[in-house]
Amino acid sequence: MLSYFALITLVEISGLIIPYIWLMIIANRRGRIWSTVAVIILFLISYVNTYFNLPDLAYPSLIDGWLMWLIGGLIVVAVLRRFVFGGGNPPARSEHAGDGIITQTISRFTDTFGWLGKLAVGIVLAVVVFIILGSVTQLVTKMNPRPAVQSIKTDINDDTKDAPMPVIKNSSETPVVNAPQTVSTDMNNSLNSFKNSNVYDLNHMRVQMYRKKMVYVAPVEFSGGFWRYIHYLKVPGYFRTDATDKNADPKFVSRPMKYTPSAYFNSDADRRISAHSLGYSMVGSTSQLEIDDKGTPYYVRTLAKPISYLNRNYDYKHYKVAVLNTITGKVNVYSPNNVPKFVDIAVSPELVSQEVNLFGRYRHGFWNATSFGGHSGVMQPTKAGTEGGDHLTPYAYKGRVYYFTGMTSVNAHQSSILGYAFVDARTNTLHYYREHGNVMTPERAISYAQQDINPQNYRGTLPLLYRINGDPTWVVSMLDRDNNSFMKFVYLLADGNNQSGTYAVGDDAQSTLALFNQRLEAKTGVTVAAPSGKTISGTINRIVRTTDNKLLFILKDNNQVYQLDTSAKGFKPIYEFIAEGDKVSFKAESGSNDNLSTANVSLSTFKDQSLNTGNKQSK
């Protein structure tokens, strides 16, 4: 690895070759010796900087460095030739009348300060050259996004019928409930799960699939810098947490890892990956941990390259994926089609966020998106996500992870969804689905959840769009503002007119779904699907009438709390007379295993033998 960074350093400072040869020609013997010593010192300084700071190794950055050394070297040699190896200072010019204003100013400045003035002028001119060159690359990169947009693998659909939008029906699908903030807090509270936990920390985590379940994985990292690392050399393992179970506790997996981003020298994960990234940029702030189905940890990082020297936009088709084994330190670099099966996030959320922004704004060209163009189809991603600079939210759909974002108008006064972008995190294919209905943005859904149905002043986060009874529905997780604990589910019909009150609040996904279905039926008159499972029969043991139009009861020999919503359209007035001792049967969405969550009873299946609601006597 040391020899690799030495090679990279030689490439970077190779711009000095021409100035060095020139200097060897004009200098005397002593000058050649000191010049050679100076070049060696510059090499060592550049080598240390390259090794520790890991500069961008994409070809445009390497060319910039080469030009910097070339121009800087030529300036220094020109000054040395003029004032050191050229036989002394030339006679001072007393007249500059025939020169232009700029030339006169430079000549007077250099006449006053001698060779220092010449050197200063040369440095200023070099800086001007680099500023002009940088401005040109920025201008080309901004005004020519077409090659980057064309490199995005896209699948554009005119409707949302085939969108990878998870379906919630009769509890067969459980929404992601654990927001990253909650998981991070819970994991930090569990750091005492292993020995010497005080010297470690959790700095980042990644969502992925593990044995067909969506989980969060967070590596333990060194806290305290170099001396902590020297003392321990390895981190003890990582945490894993179920993303869909609000009662899930973080599980610490003991798997000592030598090669991590918080390690030093050749054990630094990012440094080892950088040693395989020549010609590419390492995307993201650091490598991210993923595990295979056996629990073996790997660090993964996306390597992208710019379109060209002048156009610094990324090529979203020709990228690489670096995978580091944290136990052995071996790095393998894969093309997109050959990534190992256990890698769910082959493209980092930072890269996905950039390409979604480019797709939304510039897929019809640069000028179309400016004030001079027609703004045809110009969109931008919503800003309620948990990754990729708040643009993206990870979804699990049929065993794959997708980065989801709603696309909305660039007009700040509009708050409706124009379509959805689902990016396959493994193949980097951007699937766009146009929305023809009236669907509110996730920001608006969070606003409703926090202002209209949130007397406890919880904080809404992780808005996810699901399909319930065929209708797009926002599921928002409400967190305690102080400690990020999960508090409530909020289901909101996403039709953009939520003032009519089609929402449900609950402690768990199942009971909230049943309540939401009841309210949806009451509003629309459309009968929702009855809950699946076995019919529950028994005798009412206790019953309570609440102030918010609910009947709560428990059965004999069954501590599960069941609920009837008296405001639902299917509620019959005779149900108001049910009492202790009545024999009933019904189907209900199951509550939690600890019986602390209320199970909502399906009114279409509810029967009370004491009231004879199932025969003609009840009429």
Side-chain angles (χ1 to χ4, degrees):
M1 182 179 289
L2 294 176
S3 60
Y4 169 81
F5 284 103
L7 177 62
I8 294 300
T9 304
L10 285 175
V11 172
E12 289 177 334
I13 71 168
S14 62
L16 285 177
I17 292 177
I18 295 176
Y20 179 73
I21 293 174
W22 185 19
L23 186 57
M24 291 298 100
I25 294 174
I26 66 173
N28 54 31
R29 183 173 180 274
R30 183 179 181 184
R32 294 189 186 99
I33 294 174
W34 282 107
S35 299
T36 302
V37 171
V39 170
I40 293 174
I41 293 174
L42 289 174
F43 169 80
L44 293 175
I45 294 174
S46 181
Y47 175 78
V48 171
N49 175 70
T50 302
Y51 181 81
F52 285 102
N53 292 330
L54 303 179
D56 187 5
L57 297 183
Y59 290 124
S61 296
L62 292 177
I63 294 173
D64 284 342
W66 188 88
L67 288 174
M68 181 187 70
W69 286 110
L70 173 65
I71 296 175
L74 290 175
I75 291 173
V76 172
V77 175
V79 172
L80 290 175
R81 178 180 179 275
R82 181 77 169 179
F83 296 102
V84 178
F85 303 116
N89 293 325
R93 294 178 60 189
S94 58
E95 299 292 338
H96 305 289
D99 298 331
I101 296 177
I102 297 178
T103 303
Q104 292 182 39
T105 303
I106 294 176
S107 298
R108 290 168 182 168
F109 180 80
T110 55
D111 288 347
T112 303
F113 295 98
W115 69 272
L116 287 176
K118 295 280 189 181
L119 180 61
V121 170
I123 293 174
V124 170
L125 291 177
V127 171
V128 170
V129 170
F130 278 107
I131 290 176
I132 293 175
L133 188 60
S135 299
V136 171
T137 58
Q138 289 182 7
L139 187 64
V140 172
T141 300
K142 180 69 175 179
M143 296 187 64
N144 189 25
R146 184 177 296 276
V149 174
Q150 290 177 341
S151 73
I152 302 173
K153 292 185 292 184
T154 57
D155 169 37
I156 300 178
N157 302 270
D158 192 52
D159 56 54
T160 63
K161 180 179 62 174
D162 297 323
M165 193 182 301
V167 176
I168 299 180
K169 182 179 180 182
N170 298 328
S171 304
S172 61
E173 292 281 347
T174 305
V176 175
V177 55
N178 290 325
Q181 304 95 314
T182 303
V183 174
S184 178
T185 300
D186 291 345
M187 287 182 175
N188 277 289
N189 290 337
S190 301
L191 277 176
N192 60 351
S193 302
F194 50 89
K195 186 179 179 180
N196 297 320
S197 60
N198 59 300
V199 301
Y200 301 103
D201 203 353
L202 298 172
N203 295 324
H204 58 89
M205 61 185 173
R206 167 162 283 184
V207 65
Q208 66 172 100
M209 303 302 295
Y210 174 70
R211 297 180 180 178
K212 300 182 180 181
K213 289 186 178 181
M214 191 174 184
V215 299
Y216 286 100
V217 176
V220 175
E221 300 284 4
F222 290 108
S223 174
F226 177 74
W227 297 110
R228 292 277 177 86
Y229 166 74
I230 290 297
H231 188 78
Y232 293 96
L233 295 179
K234 293 183 179 181
V235 297
Y238 58 88
F239 281 94
R240 187 180 71 240
T241 302
D242 193 315
T244 60
D245 184 0
K246 71 184 183 69
N247 296 316
D249 292 323
K251 179 182 179 181
F252 176 72
V253 180
S254 179
R255 195 63 64 94
M257 296 182 286
K258 178 180 179 182
Y259 302 94
T260 68
S262 63
Y264 285 80
F265 305 116
N266 289 349
S267 295
D268 185 327
D270 290 328
R271 182 166 294 119
R272 297 190 75 84
I273 291 176
S274 176
H276 294 76
S277 66
L278 182 61
Y280 290 81
S281 300
M282 297 192 298
V283 182
S285 58
T286 188
S287 304
Q288 296 288 326
L289 192 74
E290 289 207 33
I291 59 177
D292 60 18
D293 283 348
K294 296 180 180 179
T296 304
Y298 297 83
Y299 272 102
V300 180
R301 196 157 192 185
T302 308
L303 307 177
K305 65 177 182 179
I307 297 291
S308 65
Y309 175 73
L310 292 179
N311 191 336
R312 303 295 176 93
N313 289 307
Y314 285 134
D315 182 341
Y316 296 103
K317 182 179 295 182
H318 300 99
Y319 60 91
K320 300 287 186 181
V321 182
V323 180
L324 163 69
N325 187 309
T326 64
I327 312 299
T328 66
K330 183 179 180 180
V331 178
N332 290 312
V333 178
Y334 301 94
S335 62
N337 296 329
N338 298 321
V339 178
K341 292 183 178 180
F342 73 86
V343 176
D344 296 296
I345 313 295
V347 284
S348 68
E350 293 86 356
L351 186 74
V352 174
S353 179
Q354 293 177 30
E355 66 180 327
V356 169
N357 271 287
L358 281 173
F359 170 80
R361 186 172 290 272
Y362 297 120
R363 71 185 185 282
H364 294 309
F366 170 78
W367 291 109
N368 175 69
T370 67
S371 57
F372 302 100
H375 268 225
S376 174
V378 177
M379 305 177 294
Q380 64 182 356
T382 54
K383 298 180 180 179
T386 60
E387 298 188 35
D390 75 11
H391 290 307
L392 308 173
T393 301
Y395 263 90
Y397 184 77
K398 294 185 178 180
R400 301 293 284 269
V401 176
Y402 290 83
Y403 279 115
F404 162 80
T405 185
M407 304 299 291
T408 188
S409 172
V410 294
N411 187 339
H413 298 290
Q414 297 184 19
S415 60
S416 60
I417 291 291
L418 301 177
Y420 311 104
F422 289 86
V423 180
D424 190 321
R426 181 175 169 83
T427 67
N428 198 32
T429 302
L430 192 157
H431 303 271
Y432 176 72
Y433 301 89
R434 183 183 176 189
E435 176 59 70
H436 295 276
N438 184 20
V439 175
M440 73 176 88
T441 61
E443 295 95 326
R444 190 178 179 194
I446 289 177
S447 177
Y448 279 127
Q450 291 183 163
Q451 297 178 16
D452 297 343
I453 54 182
N454 184 19
Q456 294 87 356
N457 197 32
Y458 298 145
R459 176 167 57 92
T461 187
L462 199 66
L464 295 171
L465 196 62
Y466 290 85
R467 207 184 296 278
I468 300 179
N469 301 307
D471 297 317
T473 303
W474 288 110
V475 177
V476 181
S477 297
M478 307 300 291
L479 307 183
D480 182 272
R481 290 183 181 271
D482 296 326
N483 55 28
N484 292 322
S485 298
F486 174 84
M487 304 304 295
K488 297 285 185 182
F489 268 118
V490 178
Y491 286 38
L492 305 100
L493 190 64
D495 63 0
N497 296 306
N498 212 64
Q499 298 91 332
S500 56
T502 308
Y503 62 82
V505 184
D507 298 321
D508 64 275
Q510 293 82 3
S511 63
T512 312
L513 173 63
L515 179 59
F516 178 79
N517 282 337
Q518 290 177 6
R519 294 192 170 181
L520 181 64
E521 182 179 349
K523 175 188 176 182
T524 63
V526 177
T527 302
V528 299
S532 59
K534 297 180 180 180
T535 298
I536 301 170
S537 300
T539 301
I540 294 180
N541 187 31
R542 294 285 191 275
I543 185 168
V544 175
R545 289 167 172 79
T546 67
T547 57
D548 58 345
N549 301 320
K550 302 291 189 304
L551 291 178
L552 305 179
F553 64 88
I554 59 175
L555 303 177
K556 289 183 179 180
D557 301 321
N558 183 352
N559 291 330
Q560 174 66 55
V561 179
Y562 297 102
Q563 173 178 276
L564 288 171
D565 186 359
T566 63
S567 63
K569 185 175 181 180
F571 185 83
K572 300 177 181 179
I574 197 170
Y575 293 161
E576 291 279 7
F577 298 94
I578 64 175
E580 298 172 4
D582 286 0
K583 294 182 178 181
V584 295
S585 64
F586 52 85
K587 290 182 179 180
E589 295 289 346
S590 60
S592 62
N593 294 331
D594 56 11
N595 305 120
L596 296 177
S597 299
T598 303
N600 288 277
V601 174
S602 168
L603 294 173
S604 62
T605 65
F606 183 79
K607 295 181 180 180
D608 186 333
Q609 295 182 15
S610 301
L611 298 176
N612 294 320
T613 58
N615 55 41
K616 296 181 180 179
Q617 295 180 17
S618 63
K619 295 184 179 180

